[in-house]
Amino acid sequence: MDITLTKDQIHQAAQQAYGYASNVTGGANANYIPYLANIDSGLFGLSVMLPDGTAFNYGDTSYRFGIESVSKVPTAILAMKQSSPEGVLEKIGADATGLPFNSIFAILLENHSPSTPLVNAGAISACSMIEPKGDSDAKWKAITDNITDLCGSAPVLIDELYKSESDTNFNNRAITWLLKNYERVYDDPQMSLDLYTRQCSLGITCEQLAVMAATIAAHGVNPLTRKQVFDKSIAPKITSLIATVGFYQSTGNWLYTSGIPAKSGVGGGVLGVLPGVFGIAAFAPPLDEAGNSVKAQAAVKKFMSLLGLGIMNGDFVTITD
Ligand code: GLU
């Protein structure tokens, strides 16, 4: 079916979804990272960006929060840019674990077989793949430059969050050494873990995440800068990864009920991609048990259902003025 939507319809739906989700309660801030436990749990923002650069923002969309696991998306893109999608498939994989994002059990079960760059183990592997190998500063520059290209503006490291994570990331240290044991870290293990921890500690806004999402939706063209950030062949690959594991062990339920591939982070951020149509981002700190923002989920789901959209619907969607 052909669906034509006006920008005003997008605006109305987003505004209504924001109002609806503002009243949704429940969940709790992530408490295993001390910095996140102390963030104002009343913050809430919703941003939508179209491939032509039109932005719709509601609430706390310029508040800088910890990007956390959403950072796995840009670094997976960078690994694909540098080593090709096939290289990422071979070295990390593209399969959902079906287990929590920080699962050690998943590594033991999989040992040499594939995982995905969108859970902790695969993301640490992805950081280890980033070129130039052995040079932490240059790798960090490549990671942050790529995020800047995707967002059209730079992320800012939240020092306090970085310290908080570095002081408490015992589980991720165990993951890193297990990866080393199974020859799935491709650079110095400590450096790879540190890069992963640092990228999770980057501060990002809802507005920036919506631009990143829209860049993916627009086949690699940043809607604000018009720069081709990555080859268009990478767009369906990253969207596939997001669709299969973006919501951790509840990804199937999410896709089934929302109709949009999305990646969440324990900082409360969610990035959603409707290929060819728009990018969406939402942020609110309280999380459900799987680690996904309660309000952000409610807002994105409501937005999709108000517009009658879904990635599996097979519709051809056009947005007009
Ligand atoms: N830095 C967090 C961790 O590694 C990110 C988790 C997440 O957002 O899923 O535990």
Side-chain angles (χ1 to χ4, degrees), residues 243-244 255-256 258-261 274-275 304 309-315:
T244 43
L255 195 56
Y256 191 93
S258 70
I260 182 167
L274 197 62
M304 294 298 289
L309 299 176
I311 191 170
M312 303 298 184
N313 296 5
D315 296 326

Side-chain angles (χ1 to χ4, degrees), residues 7-292:
K7 287 182 182 171
D8 190 52
Q9 282 175 296
I10 305 270
H11 159 68
Q12 298 293 344
Q15 197 175 42
Q16 215 177 311
Y18 180 78
Y20 163 78
S22 298
N23 296 317
V24 171
T25 55
N29 287 24
N31 61 5
Y32 73 103
I33 299 170
Y35 175 91
L36 298 180
N38 296 324
I39 299 292
D40 177 357
S41 52
L43 289 163
F44 177 36
L46 176 67
S47 296
V48 179
M49 170 144 291
L50 306 184
D52 72 358
T54 308
F56 305 92
N57 297 305
Y58 309 87
D60 302 310
T61 56
S62 53
Y63 178 85
R64 219 178 272 285
F65 58 93
I67 188 171
E68 296 298 343
S69 257
V70 184
S71 68
K72 291 165 177 156
V73 171
T75 299
I77 290 173
L78 181 59
M80 288 191 236
K81 277 175 83 167
Q82 293 184 336
S83 304
S84 82
E86 294 68 34
V88 168
L89 182 65
E90 185 201 321
K91 288 204 152 60
I92 302 174
D95 257 340
T97 62
L99 290 166
F101 61 90
N102 53 3
S103 177
I104 287 188
F105 195 45
I107 306 170
L108 296 172
L109 285 173
E110 290 159 355
N111 55 71
H112 294 283
S113 68
S115 166
T116 165
L118 299 196
V119 296
N120 288 17
I124 295 166
S125 286
C127 286
S128 76
M129 281 180 73
I130 299 305
E131 304 285 350
K133 296 272 173 63
D135 183 339
S136 176
D137 289 347
K139 284 170 77 116
W140 178 243
K141 184 171 175 352
I143 288 169
T144 51
D145 282 354
N146 177 55
I147 296 176
T148 302
D149 277 348
L150 287 163
C151 295
S153 58
V156 179
L157 187 69
I158 305 175
D159 291 312
E160 200 188 331
L161 177 56
Y162 177 40
K163 182 168 186 334
S164 188
E165 294 221 22
S166 302
D167 287 347
T168 55
N169 63 351
F170 308 112
N171 192 84
N172 287 339
R173 293 183 211 178
I175 287 176
T176 306
W177 287 112
L178 267 180
L179 289 173
K180 172 74 179 161
N181 185 51
Y182 293 120
E183 297 176 348
R184 283 165 53 185
V185 194
Y186 308 102
D187 203 345
D188 179 77
Q190 305 273 23
M191 183 200 295
S192 306
L193 172 63
D194 176 59
L195 288 166
Y196 167 73
T197 309
R198 235 188 300 171
Q199 74 171 26
C200 286
S201 309
L202 285 168
I204 202 91
T205 67
C206 215
E207 289 166 26
Q208 287 178 299
L209 277 190
V211 182
M212 185 191 293
T215 303
I216 299 170
H219 318 292
V221 179
N222 182 309
L224 298 184
T225 63
R226 306 311 302 171
K227 180 174 175 178
Q228 183 84 47
V229 179
F230 57 80
D231 188 83
K232 67 178 187 333
S233 62
I234 289 176
K237 303 300 184 199
I238 189 65
T239 309
S240 300
L241 294 178
I242 294 171
T244 43
V245 77
F247 263 57
Y248 311 120
Q249 69 272 36
S250 47
T251 305
N253 281 348
W254 166 258
L255 195 56
Y256 191 93
T257 54
S258 70
I260 182 167
K263 179 74 199 90
S264 66
V266 296
V270 165
L271 164 151
V273 179
L274 197 62
V277 187
F278 57 71
I280 187 166
F283 156 67
L287 312 176
D288 66 13
E289 278 179 9
N292 302 309

